[in-house]
Amino acid sequence: KQEVTQIPAALSVPEGENLVLNCSFTDSAIYNLQWFRQDPGKGLTSLLLIQSSQREQTSGRLNASLDKSSGRSTLYIAASQPGDSATYLCAVRDSNYQLIWGAGTKLIIKP
Amino acid sequence: DAGVIQSPRHEVTEMGQEVTLRCKPISGHNSLFWYRQTMMRGLELLIYFNNNVPIDDSGMPEDRFSAKMPNASFSTLKIQPSEPRDSAVYFCASSLGQGTDTQYFGPGTRLTVL
């Protein structure tokens, strides 16, 4: 059974720092992996989707990597801003096309 | 496009009452998903539809929960009778296909059952 883990559960860093969020999964047989952002009291917004054949995806200050063999993905945020404060969730699409979700990392960027 | 629309945004009801949550997916999307989010259990998939047909309802917690999708632009999630443990945020999401496409989430309905 696929399990997705995100560590740490919470992270607080000063504005301007580069940071990395981690996501690990137990079964390497995945179709893709997505990173989402959730702001308090709101829905989830898709940030990046990495297909199983890809190693990374970039969007602006965000870069997501995928290493299927080791069951890991990272979300790199460059030059963090207070507006980046949110909960970040990763989800893998398993062999049954189901999205399996991590519990999320709550990120706080201090001005 | 307005995105996925959910109503109501907030619902407070008493135990035993029927609750109906509504969702309008993004026009042209063929798949619709209902999720529940709580602090204890995180995000859980309840059911998903493809072309208005329920494909997987294994996440529906019990018979008190039912979902319908009478047409491509509307879906409901009903809880009858509601219980305090049903209190959660319920999200609806839609995607172009059911396979590997990005899901777009609505703002959610915060349900409180007293």
Side-chain angles (χ1 to χ4, degrees):
Chain A
K1 178 184 175 184
Q2 179 73 270
E3 294 182 359
V4 179
T5 303
Q6 291 186 249
I7 295 174
L11 181 64
S12 180
V13 300
E15 179 180 4
E17 283 198 5
N18 303 324
L19 61 98
V20 174
L21 306 181
N22 297 297
C23 174
S24 61
F25 47 96
T26 55
D27 187 346
S28 62
I30 66 170
Y31 282 98
N32 60 36
L33 181 145
Q34 286 186 257
W35 282 93
F36 289 83
R37 167 184 174 141
Q38 184 174 26
D39 293 282
K42 297 190 177 180
L44 284 73
T45 301
S46 179
L47 298 172
L48 291 164
L49 184 152
I50 312 176
Q51 301 294 350
S52 62
S53 58
Q54 297 175 323
R55 297 283 292 183
E56 66 177 350
Q57 282 286 328
T58 298
S59 175
R61 293 183 294 108
L62 305 180
N63 176 278
S65 69
L66 174 64
D67 184 342
K68 271 201 335 177
S69 61
S70 65
R72 294 178 60 188
S73 175
T74 62
L75 179 66
Y76 175 83
I77 302 177
S80 59
Q81 304 170 358
D84 295 330
S85 298
T87 296
Y88 291 80
L89 295 96
C90 76
V92 302
R93 192 173 295 278
D94 69 8
S95 54
N96 295 315
Y97 294 104
Q98 298 306 305
L99 273 180
I100 311 299
W101 295 84
T105 294
K106 183 176 182 178
L107 176 64
I108 297 174
I109 305 299
K110 298 175 289 186
Chain B
D1 199 310
V4 176
I5 299 173
Q6 290 187 248
S7 65
R9 294 293 311 276
H10 302 273
E11 177 81 27
V12 180
T13 190
E14 293 186 347
M15 182 174 65
Q17 296 298 306
E18 177 179 297
V19 175
T20 299
L21 310 181
R22 297 173 176 81
C23 175
K24 176 178 168 54
I26 293 174
S27 177
H29 281 191
N30 296 320
S31 294
L32 183 141
F33 307 81
W34 282 102
Y35 289 93
R36 177 172 66 178
Q37 187 177 41
T38 61
M39 289 293 292
M40 290 295 294
R41 300 172 69 94
L43 202 61
E44 302 173 279
L45 176 66
L46 300 177
I47 185 172
Y48 84 92
F49 296 83
N50 183 249
N51 291 324
N52 312 337
V53 176
I55 302 300
D56 184 357
D57 65 354
S58 59
M60 296 285 263
E62 48 198 275
D63 292 345
R64 297 184 297 107
F65 287 68
S66 62
K68 294 182 179 180
M69 192 165 186
N71 57 62
S73 60
F74 183 66
S75 177
T76 59
L77 177 67
K78 184 176 294 186
I79 308 172
Q80 167 64 19
S82 58
E83 297 182 2
R85 59 194 171 113
D86 301 331
S87 297
V89 181
Y90 291 81
F91 289 104
C92 175
S94 69
S95 68
L96 198 57
Q98 70 170 355
T100 58
D101 297 315
T102 297
Q103 293 183 12
Y104 297 85
F105 281 73
T109 295
R110 181 174 295 276
L111 173 65
T112 302
V113 183
L114 303 174

